[in-house]
Each structure stands twice: as structure tokens, then as C-alpha cells.
Amino acid sequence: MTENKFVLNWLDKMKDLCKPSEIVWIDGSEEQLEALRAEAVATGEMIKLNEEKLPGCYYHRTAENDVARVEDRTFICTPTEEEAGPINNWMAPDEMYDKLYKLYDGSMQGRTMYVIPYSMGPVGSPFSKIGIELTDSIYVVLNMAIMTRIGNKVLEKIEGDDFTKCLHSKKDVNPDERYIVHFPQDNTIMSVNSAYGGNVLLGKKCFALRIASYLGKQEGWMAEHMLILGLENPQGEVKYIAAAFPSACGKTNLAMLIPPEYLKEKGYKVWTVGDDIAWLRIGADGRLYAINPEAGFFGVAPGTSVKTNFNALESTKKNTIFTNVAINNDDMTVWWEGLDKNPPENCTEWTGKQVNGKTYEGNLAHPNSRFTAPAINCPCISPEFENPQGVPISAIVFGGRRAKTAPLVYQARDWEHGVFVGATMASETTAAAAGAVGVVRRDPMAMKPFVGYNMADYFGHWLEMGEKMDPEKAPKIFHVNWFRKDEEGNFLWPGFGDNMRVLLWILDRCEGKADAQDSPIGLLPSMKDIDVTNLDITEEQLEELLHVDKDVWMEDVANQKEYFAQFGDRLPAAIKKQLEILENNLK
Ligand code: GTP
Ligand code: SPV
Ligand code: MN
């Protein structure tokens, strides 16, 4: 398969450890993948869906205790605890290797070990990075085949030991011995006792965010939890926006947005470059360029409908894997909350239980059920999707779920202030990670669960990246909140396609075409600056959406101070300075 000694030596070692009965190299051919699909169906690991309605689509159900990322079992094992920082779980590398080697010992007995060479980013792009994932799960192989570029074409590109070593064993999916571990200095990821998404598709969060953020810090680039979209105006010009929202806070939806009818008629259109991860580098011209390192979407199913996200739904019509949604037994199609108002009567809910969808209690699909769909299925996939140089970013947008506090949109005064706006992000937790849902927590740059080193140094890296860019050409930074609620708990903003109205103000600001007024927290639009043509929204509602309540903000500042205190002297002075400015502005 390969003569690369680094690859072969590591593989030998892992084989001796896990003791699989067989090793299979994934070459990337359709024949091999088709044979694996057939095998997974034969063993019950996957279920074939209706070939006419959902050609090439499969269903997979995970263990009930294994339905989301497990942040409390995710570790960054740097030589010292300070390098991992106060918000990551840490253990000394030697101690962790000892623990893990015991868990992996014989973990693949009687199973096949699949070797998946994969590229994050277009094969051969100067932005791209290569990994090899060893796994005992066909589900992982088939997902990686959608989410990344895989096979011999990638293996050929490996030079020396320049690849990320990824070992995954589902073992016996025991939650008490589940570990998702990163050794940034060894370019190594080890995942055991899970078979779910972000815990096991190691190219995604583990490599493309945690390891890549560490590499980016060393090498002068950035790995971010961001969508990338291109917004085309009626003149046919396309400007690119990168946006960081925490898990299940609307990246996939914004990336595939369909503008309101009257804007569509004028000629506005959104192109999707990526929906979850962006790798950003400064180009020779001093601008910031982004690629999407992934090749597919691992998207949240619930809430996805013809009305909310037509393009995502279209993307799932063929060659897609559905995880933990509900099945309509009558025609072997899929269903989830929010798809439509007709839950199947003859239904298999996500746990495998047979129920009548009309009379069920709770959810038929798990709130974090997902689809794995090839990006090329997306009707609005950007022509620049495969561009090895990436796309130039005009605006960076931060956002999250805040029922109060954050207004619909505001702009940072400059890069440094923008970094502070990102660093003070907070959002209500969602079903994307195990644990309580709906609790506000600080989630800087939407990277709390994904930063592969000390968060204080990560803030420093953002500040340094700004210094390296031409200030005229650096992206302008904004903050949005689609999730503000009224006193009764209803969303004040319609969201989804109507978010286009906010993007237009953002791009107009980038081009110096729109007004803004200074406020204690940053630059705010006036009510007249947000186009509400054909929108069913009262003046009071819009006023409320743009309102900055000083008392609520003072409470947030107190919380920010407490949060930043944990970083001690490591916190960059610029962040402290910005916090003082905000506090003084509010007084
Ligand atoms: P990850 O894949 O977990 O990183 O999530 P994501 O940021 O891509 O989230 P996604 O776009 O899948 O949205 C998650 C949930 O938020 C879905 O149930 C959506 O229906 C809902 N959502 C997305 N955009 C909006 C919006 O503008 N308004 C409201 N109210 N809900 C939204
Ligand atoms: C997220 O939780 O942010 C995801 C899904 O995108 S997972 O890949 O499971 O992490
Ligand atoms: Mn995500």
C-alpha cells in the first residue's frame, strides 16, 4: 500500500495493541465502499433506506448513552497543564498513554481494523493537511468517505511523518471508559468507547479544530468553528463571510440561506463554501483567505425543513447517512421534529422502539440526530468550494443563543475590539454535547470545546493575526443574535432566510455604504438601517431587538471578569484593556 516507514511502523504498533483479526486499507474506490455498505447492512450496523425516494441512503442508530460529543471526557494532553489551559481537561501524556493502552489492548479482537488515509482540504492544496484514521467501525469509514477526501490519492501525498495519527476503537461503547484524547505535540488523536459523530470522525473536531488550532498557532494560521458563505449581489459580485456560532446555533442554516423573495428577485444569492469549520490564512495580498477542510455536512436534522433550510434538505436526498432520526416503516424514509407536521404513524423512533407517531410522547428523533451528506449534493454549493487557495473573507461574524443581552447585530470598532467581542461570546448550551441544555455559558469564538491549547494564548494568536494583516484589508468583525426573546419567551426575530437582511447591513458596513451609531458595546445599526420590507415585525419589536440594556450588560461584564480571571497573567493585555473600555462605557 505504501512504503512510508512512519506510516507502517505506527500501523504495526497499533495492530499489536488492538489485535484486530484483519487489516483493510481504504483505497477510496466506490466498489470497496459499496461492499462495506452491504456488509454493514448484513450485520445490522446500518439499515438501507428506500432506494427510490432516498437513493444510496442509509440509517444508523447509536447506543442511547452515545448520542453527542462528551466534553467532560475530552482531553488535551500537552506536556504541562498550563499549555492546555484552565478550560480544557488535562492529564500528563505518559499517564494518559498508560491508561489508553490498557483500554485499547485487544479492543479489536475478532474485528477488522480499517486504515483510512484522509485529507482535510482539497488534495494537494497548500492549506490541506493529511491524517490517517484507524477504526473498527464501518460506520466511521462510510462517514469519513463523505466528510473528507480519502484513499490512495491521499496516501500518495504523505511526506515522511507529516500526518496526524488517529486511532479509534468503538470497543464496547462503555461511557465510563470513554475517552477522546489529543496529544498535540505528538500529532496524535485517540478515541475509545464511542461510536458517535464528533467523538469518532476524527478528521472533524479532533483534527480540523483541536489539533489544527494548535498547528495554526505554531505555523501562523487559524482553525475555527466557522461556516463560510459567499453573498452574491445583483451585480454578480460575491463577498465572503465567515461566521462562528456554537454547536447547533445556526451555522448550517446561515451557510445555505435562501434570501426572502423580494431580495431573491433583485438578484441576491448565497453560495455555501462550508458549514462548520474554516481554516484561515493571510494571503500574499494581506487579506485573510479561508478554505473549508471538509467534503460533507454532518448537520443537525431536527428543525431542517423545506421552509427553514431547503438546501440542506435537498443535500440529504441521496448518498446520505442518517444517524438517530426516526424511520417511517411504511416506506423506509426518515422523519424528525420540524421536518413537517406529519410524524409517521408506523414509526421506529430513534431508540429503535416501535411507536405510533401520532400518539408518541417526547421526541421521535434525537434532538442531536444528524445527516451526513456530501457537499456536492448541495444546490447552492459554491463554485469556489474546491478552490485550493480559498476565498477572501470580508467579514467575520460571531453569534450565539442569547435570550437577552446581545442585540440583533453590532459591529466591533476595530480588530482588537472584535477579538474581545469574540472572546466574550456566550450562548445557551444545546443537545450537540452531553449535559444540560439551555444553560448560558461562555464560549469564546464558539471554540470552548475545540481549542487545542490554552485559551488565553488563543486570544493572543487572534490578536497577532490582526497585526499581520493590512488594517484596511482585514475582515470587519460583527456579532449577531438570532435568538433574542420577548417577555413571553418567543423569538423576536424570524431568523433563517430573513437573516439575509442583517448580512446586507454587514456587507454594506464593510463597503462603507451603511450608517452605524456608536454605543457602549460597539457600532449599532439604527432601525432604518435594517431592511424590513415585507416583514411581519412591529417597530417595538425591532427596537427591542436593537436595544442595549445597560444593567443587563453590567451583569455580563461582571461575569466576563470572573471568566477572564481564570487565565491569570496569561490573558493578553489588550483583552483586559477592552474589558475596561466596555465597563467605562456602560457606567
Ligand atoms: P453544529 O453542526 O452543531 O456545529 O451546528 P450549526 O451551528 O450548524 O447549527 P444548525 O444550523 O444545524 O442549527 C441548529 C438548530 O438551530 C436547528 O434546529 C435550526 O433549525 C435552528 N436555527 C438555525 N438558524 C436559526 C435562526 O435563524 N433562528 C432560529 N430561531 N433557529 C435557528
Ligand atoms: C458540533 O457539535 O459542533 C458538531 C457536531 O458540529 S459533532 O461533529 O458531533 O461535533
Ligand atoms: Mn460544529
Side-chain angles (χ1 to χ4, degrees), residues 517-571:
Q517 36 180 345
D518 206 4
S519 85
I521 64 166
L523 307 166
L524 280 167
S526 323
M527 281 171 54
K528 64 166 178 39
D529 298 322
I530 303 292
D531 187 345
V532 291
T533 309
N534 298 341
L535 198 63
D536 189 18
I537 192 168
T538 64
E539 227 166 84
E540 291 72 45
Q541 282 168 326
L542 191 58
E543 207 175 336
E544 175 63 23
L545 275 163
L546 295 175
H547 181 65
V548 176
D549 183 322
K550 286 192 181 182
D551 295 335
V552 174
W553 270 87
M554 270 313 238
E555 280 170 37
D556 206 64
V557 163
N559 187 269
Q560 291 172 17
K561 265 191 203 163
E562 209 176 296
Y563 182 76
F564 286 138
Q566 69 187 314
F567 302 109
D569 291 345
R570 226 158 161 136
L571 188 73

XYZ file of all heavy atoms in Angstrom, residues 517-571:
448
model
N -24.249 53.715 14.582
C -24.049 54.673 15.677
C -23.284 54.005 16.801
O -23.501 52.831 17.104
C -25.393 55.191 16.162
C -26.487 54.149 16.128
C -27.795 54.712 16.605
O -27.865 55.764 17.207
N -28.857 53.978 16.383
N -22.394 54.795 17.364
C -21.579 54.233 18.453
C -22.468 53.987 19.666
O -23.417 54.719 19.924
C -20.447 55.202 18.808
C -19.272 54.435 19.414
O -19.345 53.194 19.465
O -18.299 55.095 19.834
N -22.153 52.921 20.382
C -22.876 52.598 21.615
C -21.836 52.036 22.578
O -20.697 51.781 22.182
C -23.962 51.555 21.325
O -23.407 50.258 21.380
N -22.199 51.822 23.834
C -21.208 51.292 24.783
C -20.565 49.984 24.320
O -19.410 49.708 24.619
C -22.039 51.061 26.054
C -23.169 52.034 25.957
C -23.477 52.158 24.497
N -21.311 49.172 23.577
C -20.778 47.848 23.227
C -20.161 47.791 21.835
O -19.465 46.833 21.504
C -21.864 46.760 23.348
C -22.999 46.977 22.340
C -22.433 46.718 24.767
C -23.921 45.760 22.180
N -20.430 48.805 21.004
C -19.900 48.792 19.642
C -20.818 49.573 18.725
O -21.640 50.362 19.183
N -20.685 49.336 17.423
C -21.429 50.122 16.434
C -22.739 49.434 16.079
O -22.749 48.297 15.609
C -20.574 50.296 15.172
C -19.180 50.872 15.440
C -18.272 50.701 14.233
C -19.286 52.346 15.839
N -23.833 50.159 16.332
C -25.165 49.590 16.128
C -25.846 50.199 14.909
O -25.670 51.382 14.627
C -26.054 49.888 17.336
C -25.929 49.040 18.582
C -26.673 49.722 19.720
C -26.496 47.653 18.347
N -26.654 49.397 14.187
C -27.475 49.995 13.135
C -28.627 50.770 13.770
O -29.035 50.462 14.889
C -28.018 48.772 12.377
C -27.982 47.648 13.351
C -26.886 47.947 14.334
N -29.140 51.773 13.082
C -30.408 52.370 13.514
C -31.506 51.506 12.915
O -31.252 50.704 12.019
C -30.605 53.786 12.987
O -29.401 54.457 12.970
N -32.728 51.735 13.383
C -33.829 50.916 12.889
C -33.975 51.005 11.379
O -34.230 50.015 10.709
C -35.126 51.310 13.593
C -35.154 50.678 14.971
S -36.461 51.233 16.025
C -37.914 50.984 15.098
N -33.725 52.201 10.841
C -33.904 52.378 9.387
C -32.842 51.615 8.577
O -32.997 51.398 7.376
C -33.850 53.864 9.023
C -32.500 54.488 9.313
C -32.348 55.844 8.636
C -31.014 56.515 8.947
N -29.807 55.711 9.013
N -31.746 51.206 9.237
C -30.663 50.537 8.510
C -30.939 49.061 8.233
O -30.263 48.438 7.424
C -29.346 50.649 9.287
C -28.917 52.097 9.445
O -29.106 52.860 8.487
O -28.405 52.443 10.526
N -31.902 48.488 8.951
C -32.249 47.083 8.703
C -33.485 47.052 7.802
O -34.538 47.575 8.162
C -32.553 46.336 10.032
C -31.364 46.422 10.999
C -32.934 44.876 9.758
C -30.116 45.670 10.576
N -33.322 46.463 6.637
C -34.407 46.428 5.657
C -35.478 45.433 6.116
O -35.226 44.234 6.200
C -33.828 45.990 4.301
C -34.860 46.083 3.192
O -36.061 46.207 3.497
O -34.454 46.025 2.021
N -36.686 45.959 6.425
C -37.754 45.073 6.901
C -38.902 44.963 5.881
O -40.014 44.587 6.245
C -38.304 45.523 8.285
C -37.262 45.317 9.359
C -38.763 46.973 8.235
N -38.590 45.248 4.613
C -39.596 45.102 3.552
C -40.309 43.752 3.650
O -39.647 42.720 3.782
C -38.897 45.186 2.171
O -38.089 46.349 2.139
C -39.916 45.223 1.032
N -41.636 43.786 3.577
C -42.452 42.550 3.598
C -42.311 41.728 4.876
O -42.672 40.562 4.909
C -42.116 41.618 2.423
C -42.398 42.259 1.086
O -43.146 43.232 1.017
N -41.801 41.737 0.037
N -41.737 42.295 5.901
C -41.527 41.514 7.129
C -42.613 41.846 8.141
O -42.958 43.002 8.329
C -40.144 41.830 7.709
C -39.599 40.822 8.703
C -39.391 39.475 8.028
C -38.259 41.302 9.259
N -43.107 40.807 8.792
C -44.173 40.979 9.771
C -43.539 41.260 11.132
O -43.444 40.384 11.977
C -45.007 39.688 9.804
C -46.260 39.866 10.642
O -46.630 41.023 10.894
O -46.839 38.840 11.038
N -43.087 42.508 11.309
C -42.413 42.841 12.565
C -42.817 44.262 12.963
O -42.876 45.154 12.105
C -40.872 42.694 12.424
C -40.179 42.754 13.777
C -40.293 43.693 11.471
C -38.714 42.341 13.726
N -43.118 44.464 14.251
C -43.532 45.798 14.672
C -42.307 46.640 14.987
O -41.207 46.115 15.195
C -44.393 45.731 15.950
O -43.578 45.208 16.998
C -45.615 44.854 15.758
N -42.526 47.956 15.029
C -41.438 48.864 15.354
C -40.892 48.585 16.758
O -39.693 48.642 16.991
C -41.919 50.309 15.251
C -40.936 51.153 14.473
C -41.527 52.479 14.051
O -41.489 53.401 14.875
O -42.000 52.582 12.909
N -41.838 48.254 17.666
C -41.433 47.954 19.050
C -40.514 46.727 19.098
O -39.542 46.694 19.841
C -42.656 47.689 19.954
C -43.534 48.891 20.232
C -44.359 49.316 19.025
O -44.953 48.437 18.366
O -44.383 50.528 18.717
N -40.879 45.733 18.279
C -40.055 44.516 18.265
C -38.645 44.808 17.752
O -37.652 44.344 18.316
C -40.711 43.436 17.388
C -41.869 42.731 18.092
C -42.685 41.873 17.140
O -42.850 42.202 15.966
N -43.205 40.771 17.654
N -38.569 45.597 16.676
C -37.261 45.928 16.117
C -36.453 46.750 17.125
O -35.242 46.542 17.299
C -37.428 46.687 14.794
C -36.148 46.865 13.974
C -35.518 45.523 13.640
C -36.437 47.631 12.686
N -37.138 47.658 17.799
C -36.471 48.474 18.803
C -35.889 47.585 19.906
O -34.744 47.742 20.307
C -37.491 49.446 19.401
C -36.861 50.712 19.918
C -37.909 51.714 20.404
O -39.071 51.641 19.947
O -37.538 52.549 21.230
N -36.717 46.632 20.345
C -36.284 45.702 21.376
C -35.074 44.872 20.898
O -34.123 44.640 21.636
C -37.462 44.788 21.756
C -37.167 43.664 22.737
C -36.714 44.147 24.108
O -37.024 45.304 24.468
O -36.028 43.369 24.809
N -35.121 44.470 19.631
C -34.029 43.662 19.065
C -32.701 44.412 19.062
O -31.632 43.808 19.184
C -34.376 43.249 17.632
C -35.231 41.994 17.473
C -35.844 41.943 16.086
C -34.394 40.746 17.728
N -32.777 45.734 18.879
C -31.546 46.521 18.789
C -31.180 47.189 20.117
O -30.165 47.877 20.217
C -31.695 47.588 17.692
C -31.859 47.039 16.269
C -32.123 48.164 15.281
C -30.637 46.232 15.850
N -31.996 46.915 21.135
C -31.804 47.599 22.406
C -30.636 47.015 23.218
O -30.460 45.807 23.299
C -33.091 47.506 23.239
C -33.010 48.190 24.557
N -32.856 49.560 24.677
C -33.028 47.703 25.820
C -32.787 49.879 25.954
N -32.888 48.779 26.676
N -29.842 47.925 23.798
C -28.758 47.503 24.691
C -29.128 47.919 26.109
O -29.156 49.108 26.432
C -27.420 48.153 24.267
C -26.311 47.807 25.240
C -27.045 47.709 22.852
N -29.427 46.961 26.940
C -29.822 47.239 28.321
C -28.569 47.306 29.195
O -27.887 46.305 29.409
C -30.761 46.124 28.803
C -31.288 46.379 30.208
O -30.520 46.882 31.056
O -32.470 46.062 30.451
N -28.274 48.516 29.684
C -27.011 48.716 30.398
C -26.893 47.855 31.662
O -25.810 47.366 31.984
C -26.832 50.188 30.754
C -26.472 51.029 29.548
C -26.010 52.402 29.981
C -25.674 53.251 28.759
N -25.172 54.568 29.125
N -28.006 47.672 32.362
C -27.940 46.870 33.587
C -27.616 45.411 33.279
O -26.777 44.793 33.930
C -29.267 46.957 34.361
C -29.520 48.370 34.862
O -28.521 49.097 35.042
O -30.696 48.747 35.036
N -28.294 44.899 32.278
C -28.033 43.510 31.876
C -26.580 43.362 31.427
O -25.902 42.382 31.742
C -29.008 43.098 30.744
C -28.669 41.720 30.207
C -30.445 43.127 31.251
N -26.089 44.374 30.707
C -24.706 44.331 30.229
C -23.703 44.425 31.378
O -22.650 43.795 31.339
C -24.459 45.419 29.176
C -24.766 44.870 27.805
C -25.967 44.863 27.191
C -23.862 44.187 26.946
N -25.881 44.222 25.981
C -24.606 43.799 25.792
C -22.504 43.866 26.995
C -24.025 43.099 24.709
C -21.930 43.176 25.921
C -22.680 42.805 24.805
N -24.031 45.217 32.394
C -23.139 45.307 33.555
C -23.018 43.952 34.242
O -21.938 43.562 34.676
C -23.647 46.368 34.541
C -23.089 47.752 34.260
S -21.299 47.761 33.987
C -20.791 48.871 35.253
N -24.152 43.232 34.298
C -24.105 41.875 34.869
C -23.193 40.989 34.043
O -22.442 40.175 34.566
C -25.510 41.248 34.890
C -26.375 41.710 36.042
C -27.818 41.252 35.872
O -28.042 40.121 35.367
O -28.720 42.038 36.209
N -23.288 41.155 32.719
C -22.455 40.337 31.844
C -20.969 40.678 32.037
O -20.108 39.792 32.019
C -22.864 40.513 30.381
C -22.516 39.282 29.550
O -23.086 38.211 29.833
O -21.647 39.380 28.659
N -20.699 41.969 32.208
C -19.305 42.387 32.426
C -18.747 41.735 33.702
O -17.606 41.257 33.715
C -19.201 43.930 32.509
C -17.889 44.364 33.131
C -19.354 44.542 31.122
N -19.568 41.671 34.734
C -19.121 41.029 35.977
C -18.774 39.563 35.711
O -17.757 39.046 36.183
C -20.222 41.126 37.038
N -19.615 38.927 34.902
C -19.377 37.525 34.560
C -18.134 37.368 33.678
O -17.351 36.427 33.832
C -20.620 36.972 33.857
C -20.510 35.488 33.637
O -20.019 35.055 32.599
N -20.928 34.701 34.610
N -17.942 38.310 32.752
C -16.743 38.282 31.889
C -15.480 38.370 32.737
O -14.509 37.653 32.519
C -16.772 39.462 30.903
C -17.838 39.368 29.836
C -17.950 40.639 29.007
O -17.055 41.482 28.991
N -19.062 40.787 28.305
N -15.508 39.282 33.718
C -14.338 39.488 34.593
C -13.976 38.198 35.309
O -12.816 37.798 35.363
C -14.674 40.533 35.661
C -14.249 41.915 35.308
C -14.379 42.791 36.544
C -14.502 44.242 36.111
N -15.008 45.107 37.160
N -15.008 37.581 35.861
C -14.815 36.324 36.578
C -14.231 35.264 35.646
O -13.316 34.532 35.994
C -16.190 35.865 37.063
C -16.206 35.039 38.326
C -17.649 34.768 38.717
O -18.385 35.732 39.032
O -18.028 33.592 38.638
N -14.786 35.223 34.433
C -14.334 34.230 33.448
C -12.870 34.454 33.088
O -12.058 33.519 33.098
C -15.213 34.325 32.204
C -14.853 33.310 31.147
C -15.226 31.974 31.288
C -14.136 33.677 30.019
C -14.896 31.031 30.338
C -13.800 32.730 29.050
C -14.185 31.417 29.217
O -13.846 30.486 28.274
N -12.524 35.712 32.803
C -11.158 36.006 32.374
C -10.145 35.810 33.508
O -8.972 35.537 33.257
C -11.062 37.441 31.824
C -11.671 37.615 30.460
C -12.441 38.742 30.158
C -11.467 36.666 29.464
C -12.995 38.905 28.891
C -12.026 36.817 28.201
C -12.798 37.943 27.915
N -10.619 35.937 34.751
C -9.695 35.826 35.897
C -8.982 34.480 35.912
O -7.823 34.381 36.326
C -10.468 36.035 37.204
N -9.651 33.433 35.425
C -9.045 32.098 35.477
C -7.781 31.985 34.622
O -6.986 31.075 34.813
C -10.052 31.030 35.072
C -10.433 31.075 33.605
C -11.557 30.118 33.243
O -11.541 28.956 33.648
N -12.531 30.604 32.500
N -7.603 32.926 33.668
C -6.413 32.855 32.819
C -5.211 33.568 33.436
O -4.102 33.491 32.911
C -6.716 33.426 31.427
C -7.834 32.719 30.729
C -9.069 33.325 30.551
C -7.660 31.419 30.266
C -10.108 32.662 29.910
C -8.686 30.748 29.634
C -9.919 31.367 29.455
N -5.449 34.277 34.538
C -4.364 34.940 35.258
C -3.551 35.851 34.367
O -4.087 36.548 33.500
N -2.225 35.832 34.546
C -1.325 36.716 33.803
C -1.229 36.368 32.332
O -0.676 37.122 31.541
C 0.089 36.630 34.403
C 0.120 37.261 35.777
O -0.842 37.994 36.097
O 1.088 37.006 36.533
N -1.725 35.212 31.983
C -1.613 34.778 30.602
C -2.587 35.532 29.676
O -2.414 35.564 28.463
C -1.900 33.280 30.524
C -0.897 32.556 29.668
C -0.831 31.099 29.991
N -0.223 30.420 28.858
C 0.706 29.496 28.986
N 1.127 29.137 30.182
N 1.218 28.908 27.927
N -3.622 36.126 30.280
C -4.616 36.856 29.479
C -3.947 38.067 28.815
O -3.325 38.883 29.485
C -5.768 37.325 30.375
C -6.956 37.939 29.631
C -7.755 36.847 28.919
C -7.845 38.710 30.596
